[in-house]
Amino acid sequence: MGNEIVLTVKDVIKNFGTNRVLDGISFDVKKGEVVVIIGPSGTGKSTLLRCINQLTPPDEGRVWLGEREITDKHTNINHIRQDIGFVFQHFALFNHLTALGNVEVGLYKVKKMSKEEARKKAIDELERVGLKDHMEKYPAELSGGQQQRVGIARALAMDPQIMLFDEPTSALDPELTGEVLTVMKDLAEAGMTMVVVSHEIGFARSVGHRIIFMEEGHIVEQGDPEMILKSAKKDRTREFLHKITELYGG
Amino acid sequence: MENLGEFILYAVIAIGKGALVTIIVTVASLILGFLLGVPLSIGRTYGNRFVRFIIQLYEGFFRGTPHIVTLFIFYFGLRHIGEVFGNPSFQIAIPPFPAAVLALGITSSAYQSLIFRSTLQSISRDQYNAARSLGMSKWEAILNIVFIQALRLSIPGLTNEATIVLKDSPITYLVAIPEMLTQARGIIDSAMGKVFFEVLIPVSLLYYLLFWLSNKLFLMLDDRLKIPGFELERR
C-alpha cells in the first residue's frame, strides 16, 4: 500500500426526504488499500457507495477520485465512472446478455474497443474469476456465486482505479459466499484498491487493511482490523461486532 | 354453369387480391405504430413532466377515439382543414392508402407505446444503474440495456396488437382501400346482393387464417429470441 490517495470523501450528506441517511461522512482510501465498511442495516453504507460514483448524488459534500473531483458539475461523470468499478448486492447482470456479453459490453459500447479486442479482454477477465468455461451462459443459467463473479469481471474489465463492493455476498447462500470472497481476496492481493460494504468479518480480518464502523449516517470508529475486532474503543462497535460474530461466525 | 365458374374464379381472384392488401395495410400500420410507439414509450417513461404530459394526451386521444373517426379525420377532415381557417382553397389531401395507414398506424402507436411502457417499467432499476456504473450515458443505458430487454418482453403484447390491427383493417373499406371486405362487398354487389353468406363466410375464415398465421409468426419469433430464464410469467 502506497501513500497515494485514490479516493477522498469529504463531509458527504444525503437526505431521503426528511430522513438524513449520511450525516457528514469523511474518509480517504490509499492506493492498494482494502477498506471494509460495517454497520447495522439502514445506516447508509450502500448509500455511501452510491454517493461515491454518483448513482445517488449526495446533497452536500465532495468526492475525489485521485485529483479529479467527482462531485464537480463540470466533471464528465460517464468518463469518471469507467474508473470506478461497482459490484452490486443483487449482481445486476444484464439479463439479455451471456456472461461474456456482460463483460464485453462496456468495452465496446463505452471504451469503444473493437469487438474482437473487447471479446479477447472479456475472456481474460472471465478466466481471472474462473468462469471461462461458462462464458456462453445467460445469468439465469449461473449460480448466484457465478453471477457475482461475472459482476466482478464486468467491473474489472474496465480497468478501474478502485472497486466498490456493495454487500457482494449478502444475497448468496453461505456455500457460494466462499468463491466470491476468494476472487476478492485475489484481487486485493494483486493490489486493487477496494471499498467493501460487508458483514464478512473473516474477510475483513484477513484481507482488510482498515475497518470503518458506521451507524446512523456517522462513522463511529475506524482503524486496523485487529484493533477494531479485538479492542474497539466504542461500546457500540463492540456490541455490534459481538452480534454479527454470533450470527456469521468469527 | 360456365357463368358460375367464371364468377367463382373472379371472386377468388378478387378476394385473394384483397387479402394481399389487408396484409400490406396491416403490416405497414404495425411498422408505423412501432416506429412511433418506441420513442413515445421512452418519452413517456423517461421524459420530463412536459414531454410525459404531451405523450399522455396523444395516447389518450388515439386510444379514446373510435378508429373510424381517426380515419375520417385523416382522409376527409384534412381536406377541409382550410375552411376552419377561412381559406377553403387550402387542403391537405392525403390519398386513401397513406390515410388508412396513418390512421391505423397512429392508433396502434398509442397502444404499442403502452405495451413498451409496461415492459420498460418491469425492468429492474439495477439494470439501469449497472449500465450507468460502467460509464454509459443515460440514453445509452436506456437504449442498450433497458429498452432492448423491454422489447424482448414485449413480443407477447405485440402478438396481440398485430391481431387487433389486422381486425381493424376492414374499416379502410370506408375510404375505398381494396382490401378483403371491400372486395367482398364488390362481389356481393356484382351478384346483386344474392351471395352474402357465400362470400362473407370464406372471407371471415380467411381473416381467421391470417390471424392464426400472425400468431404463429410471433410465437416463432418469441421462441427464436428466447433468452434462458428471461421472460414474463407464463401461465
Short mmCIF file of all heavy atoms in Angstrom, two decimals, chain A residues 50 53 55 77-78 81-82 84 86 88 90 92-96 105-106 109-110 112 138 140-141 154 158, chain B residues 123 125-138 140 144-146 148-149 226-230:
data_model
loop_
_atom_site.label_atom_id
_atom_site.label_comp_id
_atom_site.label_asym_id
_atom_site.label_seq_id
_atom_site.Cartn_x
_atom_site.Cartn_y
_atom_site.Cartn_z
N ARG A 50 -22.99 4.49 -3.24
CA ARG A 50 -23.67 5.07 -4.39
C ARG A 50 -23.40 6.58 -4.51
O ARG A 50 -23.45 7.14 -5.60
CB ARG A 50 -25.17 4.82 -4.31
CG ARG A 50 -25.54 3.43 -4.76
CD ARG A 50 -26.88 2.98 -4.22
NE ARG A 50 -27.03 1.56 -4.43
CZ ARG A 50 -27.60 1.02 -5.51
NH1 ARG A 50 -28.12 1.79 -6.43
NH2 ARG A 50 -27.67 -0.28 -5.65
N ASN A 53 -19.96 6.98 -6.53
CA ASN A 53 -19.97 7.00 -8.01
C ASN A 53 -21.19 7.73 -8.56
O ASN A 53 -21.50 7.63 -9.74
CB ASN A 53 -19.82 5.59 -8.58
CG ASN A 53 -21.11 4.82 -8.62
OD1 ASN A 53 -22.08 5.18 -7.95
ND2 ASN A 53 -21.15 3.77 -9.41
N LEU A 55 -24.33 7.34 -8.39
CA LEU A 55 -25.61 6.70 -8.75
C LEU A 55 -26.69 7.35 -7.90
O LEU A 55 -27.84 7.49 -8.31
CB LEU A 55 -25.57 5.20 -8.49
CG LEU A 55 -24.85 4.34 -9.54
CD1 LEU A 55 -24.85 2.88 -9.12
CD2 LEU A 55 -25.47 4.50 -10.91
N ILE A 77 -19.21 12.70 -15.77
CA ILE A 77 -19.44 11.58 -14.86
C ILE A 77 -19.33 10.24 -15.58
O ILE A 77 -18.85 9.25 -15.01
CB ILE A 77 -20.80 11.74 -14.12
CG1 ILE A 77 -20.95 10.68 -13.04
CG2 ILE A 77 -21.97 11.73 -15.06
CD1 ILE A 77 -19.96 10.78 -11.92
N ASN A 78 -19.75 10.20 -16.85
CA ASN A 78 -19.69 8.92 -17.59
C ASN A 78 -18.24 8.50 -17.79
O ASN A 78 -17.93 7.32 -17.86
CB ASN A 78 -20.38 9.06 -18.94
CG ASN A 78 -21.84 9.41 -18.79
OD1 ASN A 78 -22.48 9.00 -17.83
ND2 ASN A 78 -22.35 10.22 -19.70
N ARG A 81 -16.80 7.36 -14.22
CA ARG A 81 -17.36 6.10 -13.71
C ARG A 81 -16.65 4.88 -14.29
O ARG A 81 -16.63 3.81 -13.69
CB ARG A 81 -18.85 6.00 -14.05
CG ARG A 81 -19.73 6.75 -13.08
CD ARG A 81 -21.16 6.29 -13.22
NE ARG A 81 -22.07 7.07 -12.39
CZ ARG A 81 -23.11 7.74 -12.86
NH1 ARG A 81 -23.38 7.73 -14.15
NH2 ARG A 81 -23.88 8.41 -12.04
N GLN A 82 -16.05 5.05 -15.47
CA GLN A 82 -15.30 3.93 -16.05
C GLN A 82 -14.14 3.54 -15.16
O GLN A 82 -13.64 2.42 -15.22
CB GLN A 82 -14.75 4.32 -17.43
CG GLN A 82 -15.82 4.63 -18.45
CD GLN A 82 -15.22 5.16 -19.73
OE1 GLN A 82 -14.14 4.76 -20.13
NE2 GLN A 82 -15.92 6.07 -20.39
N ILE A 84 -14.29 3.61 -11.86
CA ILE A 84 -14.79 3.17 -10.55
C ILE A 84 -15.61 1.90 -10.77
O ILE A 84 -16.73 1.96 -11.28
CB ILE A 84 -15.69 4.25 -9.92
CG1 ILE A 84 -14.97 5.60 -9.87
CG2 ILE A 84 -16.15 3.82 -8.53
CD1 ILE A 84 -15.86 6.75 -9.41
N PHE A 86 -18.04 -1.07 -9.88
CA PHE A 86 -19.11 -1.19 -8.88
C PHE A 86 -19.69 -2.60 -8.95
O PHE A 86 -20.07 -3.07 -10.01
CB PHE A 86 -20.20 -0.14 -9.15
CG PHE A 86 -21.06 0.15 -7.96
CD1 PHE A 86 -20.86 1.29 -7.18
CD2 PHE A 86 -22.09 -0.72 -7.59
CE1 PHE A 86 -21.65 1.56 -6.07
CE2 PHE A 86 -22.88 -0.45 -6.48
CZ PHE A 86 -22.66 0.68 -5.71
N PHE A 88 -22.67 -5.04 -7.43
CA PHE A 88 -23.99 -4.87 -6.81
C PHE A 88 -24.36 -6.04 -5.92
O PHE A 88 -23.99 -7.18 -6.18
CB PHE A 88 -25.05 -4.72 -7.91
CG PHE A 88 -24.94 -3.44 -8.69
CD1 PHE A 88 -24.01 -3.32 -9.71
CD2 PHE A 88 -25.75 -2.36 -8.41
CE1 PHE A 88 -23.89 -2.14 -10.44
CE2 PHE A 88 -25.65 -1.18 -9.12
CZ PHE A 88 -24.72 -1.07 -10.14
N HIS A 90 -27.24 -7.47 -5.61
CA HIS A 90 -28.02 -8.47 -6.34
C HIS A 90 -27.47 -8.68 -7.74
O HIS A 90 -28.22 -8.93 -8.69
CB HIS A 90 -29.50 -8.07 -6.37
CG HIS A 90 -30.10 -8.03 -4.99
ND1 HIS A 90 -30.38 -9.17 -4.28
CD2 HIS A 90 -30.40 -6.99 -4.17
CE1 HIS A 90 -30.86 -8.83 -3.09
NE2 HIS A 90 -30.87 -7.51 -3.01
N ALA A 92 -27.00 -7.70 -10.55
CA ALA A 92 -27.40 -6.78 -11.63
C ALA A 92 -26.72 -7.10 -12.95
O ALA A 92 -26.34 -6.21 -13.71
CB ALA A 92 -27.11 -5.31 -11.23
N LEU A 93 -26.57 -8.39 -13.25
CA LEU A 93 -26.07 -8.75 -14.58
C LEU A 93 -27.14 -8.42 -15.60
O LEU A 93 -28.33 -8.51 -15.32
CB LEU A 93 -25.74 -10.24 -14.65
CG LEU A 93 -24.60 -10.73 -13.77
CD1 LEU A 93 -24.25 -12.18 -14.12
CD2 LEU A 93 -23.37 -9.85 -13.92
N PHE A 94 -26.69 -8.03 -16.80
CA PHE A 94 -27.65 -7.73 -17.86
C PHE A 94 -28.30 -9.04 -18.30
O PHE A 94 -27.64 -9.94 -18.83
CB PHE A 94 -26.96 -7.03 -19.03
CG PHE A 94 -26.24 -5.77 -18.59
CD1 PHE A 94 -24.93 -5.53 -18.98
CD2 PHE A 94 -26.87 -4.83 -17.78
CE1 PHE A 94 -24.28 -4.38 -18.57
CE2 PHE A 94 -26.22 -3.68 -17.38
CZ PHE A 94 -24.92 -3.46 -17.77
N ASN A 95 -29.62 -9.13 -18.10
CA ASN A 95 -30.32 -10.41 -18.28
C ASN A 95 -30.35 -10.90 -19.71
O ASN A 95 -30.53 -12.08 -19.96
CB ASN A 95 -31.77 -10.26 -17.80
CG ASN A 95 -31.84 -10.07 -16.30
OD1 ASN A 95 -31.19 -10.80 -15.56
ND2 ASN A 95 -32.59 -9.08 -15.85
N HIS A 96 -30.20 -9.98 -20.66
CA HIS A 96 -30.33 -10.38 -22.06
C HIS A 96 -28.98 -10.76 -22.67
O HIS A 96 -28.91 -11.05 -23.85
CB HIS A 96 -30.97 -9.26 -22.87
CG HIS A 96 -30.15 -8.01 -22.92
ND1 HIS A 96 -29.73 -7.35 -21.79
CD2 HIS A 96 -29.65 -7.32 -23.96
CE1 HIS A 96 -29.02 -6.29 -22.14
NE2 HIS A 96 -28.95 -6.25 -23.45
N VAL A 105 -19.65 -5.81 -23.01
CA VAL A 105 -20.50 -4.71 -23.49
C VAL A 105 -19.92 -3.34 -23.13
O VAL A 105 -19.92 -2.41 -23.96
CB VAL A 105 -21.97 -4.86 -23.01
CG1 VAL A 105 -22.11 -4.67 -21.51
CG2 VAL A 105 -22.88 -3.88 -23.73
N GLY A 106 -19.40 -3.21 -21.93
CA GLY A 106 -18.80 -1.92 -21.54
C GLY A 106 -17.57 -1.60 -22.36
O GLY A 106 -17.28 -0.43 -22.63
N LYS A 109 -19.06 -0.71 -26.04
CA LYS A 109 -20.03 0.40 -26.07
C LYS A 109 -19.45 1.65 -25.40
O LYS A 109 -19.77 2.75 -25.82
CB LYS A 109 -21.32 0.00 -25.34
CG LYS A 109 -22.18 -1.00 -26.07
CD LYS A 109 -23.01 -0.37 -27.17
CE LYS A 109 -23.96 -1.39 -27.76
NZ LYS A 109 -24.46 -1.01 -29.07
N VAL A 110 -18.68 1.48 -24.35
CA VAL A 110 -18.20 2.64 -23.60
C VAL A 110 -16.75 2.96 -23.95
O VAL A 110 -16.42 4.07 -24.31
CB VAL A 110 -18.37 2.42 -22.08
CG1 VAL A 110 -17.85 3.63 -21.31
CG2 VAL A 110 -19.82 2.14 -21.73
N LYS A 112 -15.21 1.83 -26.47
CA LYS A 112 -15.11 1.86 -27.93
C LYS A 112 -14.01 0.96 -28.47
O LYS A 112 -13.39 1.27 -29.49
CB LYS A 112 -14.91 3.30 -28.44
CG LYS A 112 -15.90 4.31 -27.89
CD LYS A 112 -17.30 4.10 -28.43
CE LYS A 112 -18.28 5.11 -27.86
NZ LYS A 112 -19.67 4.67 -27.92
N TYR A 138 -26.30 -17.66 -19.94
CA TYR A 138 -27.04 -16.46 -19.53
C TYR A 138 -27.12 -16.40 -18.01
O TYR A 138 -27.00 -17.44 -17.34
CB TYR A 138 -28.44 -16.48 -20.15
CG TYR A 138 -28.42 -16.13 -21.61
CD1 TYR A 138 -28.31 -17.12 -22.59
CD2 TYR A 138 -28.47 -14.80 -22.03
CE1 TYR A 138 -28.26 -16.80 -23.94
CE2 TYR A 138 -28.42 -14.47 -23.37
CZ TYR A 138 -28.32 -15.46 -24.32
OH TYR A 138 -28.26 -15.14 -25.65
N ALA A 140 -29.40 -16.35 -15.84
CA ALA A 140 -30.31 -17.28 -15.16
C ALA A 140 -29.76 -18.70 -15.14
O ALA A 140 -30.25 -19.54 -14.39
CB ALA A 140 -31.69 -17.25 -15.83
N GLU A 141 -28.76 -18.98 -15.98
CA GLU A 141 -28.19 -20.33 -16.01
C GLU A 141 -26.99 -20.48 -15.07
O GLU A 141 -26.37 -21.53 -15.03
CB GLU A 141 -27.75 -20.67 -17.44
CG GLU A 141 -28.90 -20.66 -18.43
CD GLU A 141 -28.43 -20.83 -19.87
OE1 GLU A 141 -27.64 -20.00 -20.35
OE2 GLU A 141 -28.87 -21.80 -20.52
N ARG A 154 -17.02 -8.04 -14.92
CA ARG A 154 -17.56 -6.94 -15.73
C ARG A 154 -16.97 -5.60 -15.27
O ARG A 154 -16.60 -4.76 -16.09
CB ARG A 154 -19.09 -6.92 -15.60
CG ARG A 154 -19.76 -5.75 -16.31
CD ARG A 154 -21.26 -5.86 -16.27
NE ARG A 154 -21.79 -5.63 -14.91
CZ ARG A 154 -23.08 -5.69 -14.60
NH1 ARG A 154 -23.97 -5.96 -15.54
NH2 ARG A 154 -23.49 -5.47 -13.37
N MET A 158 -13.10 -2.94 -17.08
CA MET A 158 -12.96 -1.52 -17.42
C MET A 158 -11.64 -0.95 -16.90
O MET A 158 -11.38 0.24 -17.03
CB MET A 158 -14.13 -0.71 -16.85
CG MET A 158 -15.52 -1.19 -17.26
SD MET A 158 -15.83 -1.12 -19.03
CE MET A 158 -16.16 0.63 -19.25
N ILE B 123 -38.49 -3.69 -15.99
CA ILE B 123 -37.04 -3.95 -15.92
C ILE B 123 -36.49 -3.31 -14.64
O ILE B 123 -36.70 -2.12 -14.42
CB ILE B 123 -36.30 -3.37 -17.15
CG1 ILE B 123 -36.94 -3.85 -18.46
CG2 ILE B 123 -34.81 -3.70 -17.09
CD1 ILE B 123 -36.81 -5.31 -18.74
N ARG B 125 -34.50 -1.50 -11.77
CA ARG B 125 -33.68 -0.28 -11.77
C ARG B 125 -32.18 -0.62 -11.73
O ARG B 125 -31.34 0.12 -12.22
CB ARG B 125 -34.08 0.56 -10.56
CG ARG B 125 -33.33 1.85 -10.37
CD ARG B 125 -33.90 2.95 -11.25
NE ARG B 125 -33.05 4.14 -11.22
CZ ARG B 125 -33.26 5.20 -11.97
NH1 ARG B 125 -34.26 5.23 -12.81
NH2 ARG B 125 -32.47 6.24 -11.89
N ASP B 126 -31.86 -1.76 -11.13
CA ASP B 126 -30.48 -2.23 -11.05
C ASP B 126 -29.83 -2.35 -12.43
O ASP B 126 -28.64 -2.13 -12.58
CB ASP B 126 -30.44 -3.61 -10.38
CG ASP B 126 -29.96 -3.52 -8.94
OD1 ASP B 126 -29.81 -2.40 -8.43
OD2 ASP B 126 -29.73 -4.59 -8.33
N GLN B 127 -30.62 -2.75 -13.43
CA GLN B 127 -30.08 -2.91 -14.78
C GLN B 127 -29.59 -1.57 -15.30
O GLN B 127 -28.51 -1.46 -15.88
CB GLN B 127 -31.16 -3.46 -15.72
CG GLN B 127 -31.65 -4.85 -15.36
CD GLN B 127 -30.66 -5.92 -15.75
OE1 GLN B 127 -30.15 -5.92 -16.86
NE2 GLN B 127 -30.36 -6.83 -14.85
N TYR B 128 -30.40 -0.55 -15.07
CA TYR B 128 -30.02 0.81 -15.48
C TYR B 128 -28.80 1.27 -14.70
O TYR B 128 -27.83 1.77 -15.28
CB TYR B 128 -31.22 1.74 -15.24
CG TYR B 128 -30.92 3.20 -15.47
CD1 TYR B 128 -30.90 3.75 -16.75
CD2 TYR B 128 -30.66 4.06 -14.39
CE1 TYR B 128 -30.62 5.09 -16.95
CE2 TYR B 128 -30.37 5.39 -14.58
CZ TYR B 128 -30.36 5.90 -15.87
OH TYR B 128 -30.08 7.23 -16.05
N ASN B 129 -28.83 1.07 -13.38
CA ASN B 129 -27.70 1.50 -12.55
C ASN B 129 -26.40 0.80 -12.95
O ASN B 129 -25.34 1.42 -12.98
CB ASN B 129 -28.00 1.23 -11.07
CG ASN B 129 -28.90 2.30 -10.47
OD1 ASN B 129 -28.99 3.41 -10.99
ND2 ASN B 129 -29.56 1.97 -9.39
N ALA B 130 -26.51 -0.50 -13.25
CA ALA B 130 -25.30 -1.24 -13.63
C ALA B 130 -24.72 -0.66 -14.92
O ALA B 130 -23.51 -0.51 -15.06
CB ALA B 130 -25.63 -2.72 -13.80
N ALA B 131 -25.62 -0.33 -15.86
CA ALA B 131 -25.14 0.25 -17.13
C ALA B 131 -24.48 1.60 -16.87
O ALA B 131 -23.41 1.90 -17.43
CB ALA B 131 -26.31 0.40 -18.11
N ARG B 132 -25.09 2.42 -16.02
CA ARG B 132 -24.51 3.73 -15.71
C ARG B 132 -23.16 3.55 -15.00
O ARG B 132 -22.23 4.31 -15.24
CB ARG B 132 -25.44 4.55 -14.80
CG ARG B 132 -26.74 5.01 -15.42
CD ARG B 132 -26.61 5.78 -16.70
NE ARG B 132 -25.77 6.96 -16.64
CZ ARG B 132 -26.16 8.19 -16.29
NH1 ARG B 132 -27.41 8.39 -15.97
NH2 ARG B 132 -25.33 9.20 -16.31
N SER B 133 -23.07 2.52 -14.14
CA SER B 133 -21.83 2.34 -13.38
C SER B 133 -20.67 1.98 -14.30
O SER B 133 -19.51 2.17 -13.94
CB SER B 133 -22.01 1.29 -12.28
OG SER B 133 -21.90 -0.01 -12.82
N LEU B 134 -20.98 1.45 -15.48
CA LEU B 134 -19.91 1.16 -16.45
C LEU B 134 -19.51 2.39 -17.24
O LEU B 134 -18.55 2.36 -18.01
CB LEU B 134 -20.36 0.07 -17.44
CG LEU B 134 -20.56 -1.33 -16.89
CD1 LEU B 134 -21.08 -2.25 -17.98
CD2 LEU B 134 -19.25 -1.89 -16.32
N GLY B 135 -20.26 3.46 -17.08
CA GLY B 135 -19.93 4.70 -17.78
C GLY B 135 -20.83 5.00 -18.96
O GLY B 135 -20.55 5.89 -19.75
N MET B 136 -21.92 4.23 -19.11
CA MET B 136 -22.86 4.58 -20.18
C MET B 136 -23.63 5.84 -19.79
O MET B 136 -23.93 6.04 -18.61
CB MET B 136 -23.87 3.44 -20.40
CG MET B 136 -23.28 2.23 -21.10
SD MET B 136 -24.58 1.06 -21.56
CE MET B 136 -23.60 -0.43 -21.75
N SER B 137 -23.97 6.65 -20.80
CA SER B 137 -24.80 7.82 -20.53
C SER B 137 -26.22 7.35 -20.26
O SER B 137 -26.56 6.18 -20.49
CB SER B 137 -24.79 8.75 -21.73
OG SER B 137 -25.48 8.13 -22.80
N LYS B 138 -27.06 8.27 -19.81
CA LYS B 138 -28.45 7.93 -19.54
C LYS B 138 -29.09 7.24 -20.76
O LYS B 138 -29.70 6.19 -20.65
CB LYS B 138 -29.22 9.20 -19.19
CG LYS B 138 -30.71 8.99 -18.98
CD LYS B 138 -31.43 10.29 -18.65
CE LYS B 138 -32.94 10.07 -18.64
NZ LYS B 138 -33.71 11.28 -18.37
N GLU B 140 -27.65 5.92 -23.48
CA GLU B 140 -27.00 4.65 -23.84
C GLU B 140 -27.52 3.52 -22.96
O GLU B 140 -27.79 2.42 -23.43
CB GLU B 140 -25.47 4.76 -23.68
CG GLU B 140 -24.80 5.53 -24.79
CD GLU B 140 -23.31 5.76 -24.53
OE1 GLU B 140 -22.90 5.85 -23.35
OE2 GLU B 140 -22.56 5.86 -25.49
N ASN B 144 -29.35 0.65 -24.88
CA ASN B 144 -28.56 -0.59 -25.00
C ASN B 144 -29.00 -1.67 -24.03
O ASN B 144 -28.88 -2.85 -24.33
CB ASN B 144 -27.07 -0.33 -24.70
CG ASN B 144 -26.43 0.55 -25.74
OD1 ASN B 144 -26.80 0.50 -26.90
ND2 ASN B 144 -25.47 1.35 -25.33
N ILE B 145 -29.44 -1.26 -22.88
CA ILE B 145 -29.70 -2.25 -21.83
C ILE B 145 -31.18 -2.37 -21.49
O ILE B 145 -31.75 -3.45 -21.56
CB ILE B 145 -28.90 -1.89 -20.54
CG1 ILE B 145 -27.40 -1.78 -20.85
CG2 ILE B 145 -29.20 -2.89 -19.43
CD1 ILE B 145 -26.74 -3.05 -21.34
N VAL B 146 -31.82 -1.27 -21.17
CA VAL B 146 -33.19 -1.37 -20.65
C VAL B 146 -34.20 -1.61 -21.78
O VAL B 146 -34.99 -2.54 -21.72
CB VAL B 146 -33.57 -0.11 -19.83
CG1 VAL B 146 -34.98 -0.26 -19.26
CG2 VAL B 146 -32.57 0.13 -18.72
N ILE B 148 -33.82 -2.69 -24.84
CA ILE B 148 -33.66 -3.94 -25.59
C ILE B 148 -34.27 -5.11 -24.81
O ILE B 148 -34.87 -6.02 -25.40
CB ILE B 148 -32.18 -4.16 -25.94
CG1 ILE B 148 -32.05 -5.10 -27.12
CG2 ILE B 148 -31.37 -4.65 -24.78
CD1 ILE B 148 -30.98 -4.67 -28.08
N GLN B 149 -34.17 -5.06 -23.49
CA GLN B 149 -34.81 -6.10 -22.68
C GLN B 149 -36.32 -5.95 -22.71
O GLN B 149 -37.07 -6.93 -22.80
CB GLN B 149 -34.32 -6.04 -21.23
CG GLN B 149 -32.85 -6.41 -21.08
CD GLN B 149 -32.42 -6.46 -19.62
OE1 GLN B 149 -33.20 -6.79 -18.73
NE2 GLN B 149 -31.16 -6.14 -19.37
N LYS B 226 -35.67 -16.45 -27.63
CA LYS B 226 -35.79 -16.83 -26.22
C LYS B 226 -34.43 -16.69 -25.51
O LYS B 226 -33.40 -17.10 -26.01
CB LYS B 226 -36.28 -18.26 -26.11
CG LYS B 226 -36.64 -18.67 -24.69
CD LYS B 226 -37.30 -20.04 -24.65
CE LYS B 226 -38.73 -20.03 -25.13
NZ LYS B 226 -39.62 -19.11 -24.42
N ILE B 227 -34.46 -16.05 -24.34
CA ILE B 227 -33.26 -15.94 -23.52
C ILE B 227 -33.53 -16.78 -22.27
O ILE B 227 -34.54 -16.54 -21.59
CB ILE B 227 -33.00 -14.47 -23.12
CG1 ILE B 227 -32.70 -13.65 -24.38
CG2 ILE B 227 -31.85 -14.39 -22.13
CD1 ILE B 227 -32.74 -12.16 -24.14
N PRO B 228 -32.67 -17.76 -21.99
CA PRO B 228 -32.96 -18.64 -20.86
C PRO B 228 -33.24 -17.85 -19.58
O PRO B 228 -32.49 -16.96 -19.21
CB PRO B 228 -31.67 -19.45 -20.70
CG PRO B 228 -31.06 -19.43 -22.06
CD PRO B 228 -31.43 -18.11 -22.67
N GLY B 229 -34.34 -18.18 -18.94
CA GLY B 229 -34.66 -17.58 -17.65
C GLY B 229 -35.15 -16.16 -17.72
O GLY B 229 -35.34 -15.52 -16.69
N PHE B 230 -35.34 -15.63 -18.92
CA PHE B 230 -35.76 -14.24 -19.03
C PHE B 230 -37.05 -14.15 -19.83
O PHE B 230 -37.05 -14.17 -21.05
CB PHE B 230 -34.66 -13.42 -19.71
CG PHE B 230 -34.97 -11.94 -19.83
CD1 PHE B 230 -35.15 -11.17 -18.70
CD2 PHE B 230 -35.11 -11.35 -21.07
CE1 PHE B 230 -35.44 -9.82 -18.80
CE2 PHE B 230 -35.39 -9.99 -21.18
CZ PHE B 230 -35.56 -9.24 -20.05
#
